[in-house]
Amino acid sequence: QVQLVESGGGSVQSGGSLRLSCAAAGYSISFRCMGWFRQAPGKEREVVAFIDRGSIINYVDTVKGRFTISQDNSKNLMYLQMNSLKPEDTATYYCAAGSVWLAGLVCANKDVYTLWGQGTQVTVSP
């Protein structure tokens, strides 16, 4: 079965850290957009970070310097290390996989992603 499964969410205090993982089953994460998105209650889903086909990485400005995206193609795993968490980071976090061979800022567009995980909740208290 083709699927993405996130794990690693939880509740932390402001300034804490969490590491999210995304495991791909029946699907290769290589040479495509791979991204982390988040959605807070009442808000639209937004991109947090992505890696494109050439392993170029981008982050939304609000997480730069605090979050790190990485992936292990040999294990079909993607990660999001989140440090210095803030209450405004509270959201459901989703990993997603896009069409093959996409690159650059197109990977910031959630509409190019064709496979999504079920989401994992991250709650940051003041």
Side-chain angles (χ1 to χ4, degrees), residues 14-46:
S14 182
S17 298
L18 286 172
R19 188 193 195 204
L20 305 184
S21 298
C22 174
Y27 195 82
S28 173
I29 65 172
S30 302
F31 306 115
R32 65 176 77 243
C33 299
M34 291 295 301
W36 285 100
F37 291 75
R38 66 186 179 187
Q39 188 167 18
K43 294 187 177 182
E44 290 194 3
R45 191 170 298 188
E46 64 170 357

Coordinates of all heavy atoms in Angstrom, one line a residue, residues 14-46:
S14 N 7.3 26.0 25.4 CA 8.0 26.9 24.5 C 9.5 26.8 24.7 O 10.0 26.7 25.9 CB 7.5 28.4 24.9 OG 8.1 29.3 24.0
G15 N 10.2 26.8 23.6 CA 11.7 26.6 23.7 C 12.1 25.2 23.5 O 13.3 24.9 23.4
G16 N 11.2 24.2 23.6 CA 11.5 22.8 23.5 C 11.7 22.4 22.1 O 11.7 23.2 21.1
S17 N 12.0 21.1 21.9 CA 12.3 20.5 20.6 C 11.5 19.3 20.4 O 11.1 18.5 21.3 CB 13.8 20.1 20.5 OG 14.6 21.3 20.7
L18 N 11.2 19.0 19.1 CA 10.6 17.8 18.7 C 11.2 17.4 17.3 O 11.6 18.2 16.6 CB 9.1 17.9 18.5 CG 8.2 18.0 19.7 CD1 6.8 18.4 19.3 CD2 8.2 16.7 20.5
R19 N 11.2 16.1 17.0 CA 11.7 15.6 15.7 C 10.5 14.8 15.1 O 10.1 13.7 15.7 CB 12.9 14.7 15.9 CG 13.5 14.4 14.6 CD 14.6 13.3 14.7 NE 15.4 13.1 13.6 CZ 16.1 12.0 13.3 NH1 16.0 11.0 14.1 NH2 16.9 11.9 12.2
L20 N 10.1 15.3 14.0 CA 9.0 14.5 13.3 C 9.7 13.6 12.2 O 10.7 14.0 11.6 CB 8.1 15.5 12.5 CG 7.4 16.6 13.4 CD1 6.5 17.4 12.6 CD2 6.7 15.9 14.6
S21 N 9.1 12.5 12.0 CA 9.5 11.5 11.0 C 8.4 11.3 10.0 O 7.2 11.3 10.4 CB 10.0 10.2 11.6 OG 11.1 10.4 12.5
C22 N 8.8 11.0 8.8 CA 7.8 10.6 7.8 C 8.3 9.4 7.1 O 9.4 9.4 6.4 CB 7.6 11.8 6.8 SG 6.6 11.4 5.4
A23 N 7.6 8.3 7.2 CA 8.0 7.0 6.6 C 7.2 6.8 5.3 O 6.0 6.8 5.4 CB 7.9 5.9 7.5
A24 N 7.8 6.5 4.2 CA 7.1 6.3 3.0 C 7.1 4.8 2.7 O 8.2 4.1 2.8 CB 7.8 7.0 1.8
A25 N 5.9 4.2 2.5 CA 5.8 2.8 2.2 C 5.3 2.6 0.7 O 4.4 3.3 0.3 CB 4.8 2.2 3.1
G26 N 5.9 1.7 0.0 CA 5.5 1.5 -1.4 C 5.7 2.7 -2.3 O 5.1 2.8 -3.3
Y27 N 6.7 3.5 -2.0 CA 6.9 4.8 -2.7 C 8.3 5.3 -2.4 O 8.8 5.2 -1.3 CB 5.9 5.7 -2.0 CG 5.5 7.0 -2.8 CD1 4.6 7.0 -3.8 CD2 6.2 8.2 -2.4 CE1 4.3 8.2 -4.5 CE2 5.9 9.4 -3.1 CZ 4.9 9.4 -4.1 OH 4.6 10.5 -4.8
S28 N 8.9 5.8 -3.5 CA 10.2 6.3 -3.4 C 10.2 7.8 -3.2 O 9.5 8.5 -3.9 CB 11.1 6.0 -4.6 OG 12.3 6.7 -4.5
I29 N 10.9 8.4 -2.2 CA 10.9 9.8 -2.0 C 12.0 10.5 -2.8 O 12.1 11.7 -2.7 CB 11.0 10.1 -0.5 CG1 12.4 9.7 0.1 CG2 9.9 9.5 0.4 CD1 12.7 10.2 1.5
S30 N 12.7 9.8 -3.6 CA 13.8 10.4 -4.3 C 13.3 11.2 -5.5 O 12.3 10.8 -6.1 CB 14.8 9.3 -4.8 OG 15.3 8.6 -3.7
F31 N 14.0 12.2 -5.9 CA 13.8 12.9 -7.2 C 12.4 13.5 -7.3 O 11.8 13.5 -8.4 CB 14.1 12.0 -8.4 CG 15.5 11.5 -8.3 CD1 15.7 10.1 -8.2 CD2 16.6 12.3 -8.3 CE1 16.9 9.5 -8.1 CE2 17.9 11.7 -8.3 CZ 18.0 10.3 -8.2
R32 N 11.9 14.0 -6.2 CA 10.6 14.7 -6.2 C 10.5 15.7 -5.1 O 11.4 15.7 -4.3 CB 9.5 13.6 -6.0 CG 9.5 13.0 -4.7 CD 8.3 12.0 -4.5 NE 8.5 10.7 -5.3 CZ 7.7 10.3 -6.3 NH1 6.7 11.1 -6.7 NH2 8.0 9.2 -6.8
C33 N 9.5 16.6 -5.2 CA 9.3 17.4 -4.0 C 8.9 16.6 -2.8 O 7.9 15.8 -2.9 CB 8.2 18.4 -4.3 SG 8.4 19.5 -5.7
M34 N 9.5 16.8 -1.7 CA 9.1 16.3 -0.4 C 8.9 17.4 0.5 O 9.9 18.2 0.7 CB 10.1 15.2 0.1 CG 10.1 14.0 -0.7 SD 8.6 13.0 -0.7 CE 8.4 12.7 1.1
G35 N 7.8 17.5 1.2 CA 7.6 18.7 2.0 C 6.9 18.4 3.3 O 6.3 17.4 3.5
W36 N 7.1 19.3 4.2 CA 6.4 19.4 5.5 C 5.4 20.6 5.5 O 5.8 21.7 5.1 CB 7.3 19.5 6.7 CG 8.0 18.2 7.0 CD1 9.3 17.9 6.7 CD2 7.5 17.1 7.8 NE1 9.6 16.7 7.2 CE2 8.6 16.2 7.9 CE3 6.3 16.8 8.4 CZ2 8.4 15.0 8.5 CZ3 6.2 15.7 9.1 CH2 7.2 14.7 9.1
F37 N 4.2 20.3 5.8 CA 3.2 21.4 5.9 C 2.6 21.3 7.3 O 2.7 20.4 8.0 CB 2.1 21.1 4.9 CG 2.5 21.3 3.4 CD1 3.3 20.3 2.8 CD2 2.2 22.4 2.7 CE1 3.7 20.5 1.5 CE2 2.6 22.6 1.4 CZ 3.4 21.6 0.8
R38 N 1.9 22.4 7.6 CA 1.2 22.5 8.9 C -0.1 23.2 8.7 O -0.3 24.1 7.9 CB 2.0 23.1 10.0 CG 2.4 24.6 9.8 CD 3.3 25.0 10.9 NE 3.7 26.4 10.7 CZ 4.6 27.0 11.5 NH1 5.3 26.4 12.4 NH2 4.9 28.3 11.3
Q39 N -1.1 22.9 9.6 CA -2.4 23.5 9.6 C -2.8 23.7 11.0 O -3.0 22.8 11.7 CB -3.4 22.7 8.8 CG -4.7 23.4 8.5 CD -5.6 22.7 7.5 OE1 -5.4 21.6 7.1 NE2 -6.5 23.5 7.0
A40 N -3.0 25.0 11.3 CA -3.6 25.3 12.6 C -5.1 25.5 12.5 O -5.6 25.7 11.4 CB -2.9 26.6 13.1
P41 N -5.8 25.3 13.6 CA -7.3 25.5 13.6 C -7.7 26.8 13.0 O -7.2 27.9 13.4 CB -7.7 25.4 15.0 CG -6.6 24.6 15.7 CD -5.3 25.0 15.0
G42 N -8.6 26.7 12.0 CA -9.1 27.9 11.4 C -8.2 28.6 10.4 O -8.5 29.7 9.9
K43 N -7.1 28.0 10.1 CA -6.1 28.5 9.1 C -5.9 27.6 8.0 O -6.2 26.4 8.1 CB -4.8 28.8 9.8 CG -4.9 29.9 10.9 CD -3.5 30.3 11.4 CE -3.6 31.4 12.4 NZ -2.2 31.9 12.9
E44 N -5.4 28.1 6.9 CA -5.1 27.3 5.7 C -3.8 26.5 6.0 O -2.9 26.9 6.8 CB -4.9 28.1 4.5 CG -6.2 28.7 4.0 CD -6.1 29.3 2.6 OE1 -5.0 29.1 2.0 OE2 -7.1 29.9 2.1
R45 N -3.7 25.4 5.3 CA -2.5 24.6 5.3 C -1.3 25.3 4.7 O -1.5 25.9 3.6 CB -2.7 23.2 4.6 CG -1.6 22.2 4.9 CD -2.0 20.8 4.4 NE -3.1 20.3 5.1 CZ -3.6 19.1 4.9 NH1 -3.0 18.2 4.1 NH2 -4.7 18.7 5.6
E46 N -0.2 25.4 5.3 CA 0.9 26.2 4.8 C 2.2 25.3 4.8 O 2.4 24.4 5.6 CB 1.2 27.4 5.7 CG 1.6 27.1 7.1 CD 2.1 28.3 7.9 OE1 2.2 29.4 7.3 OE2 2.5 28.2 9.1

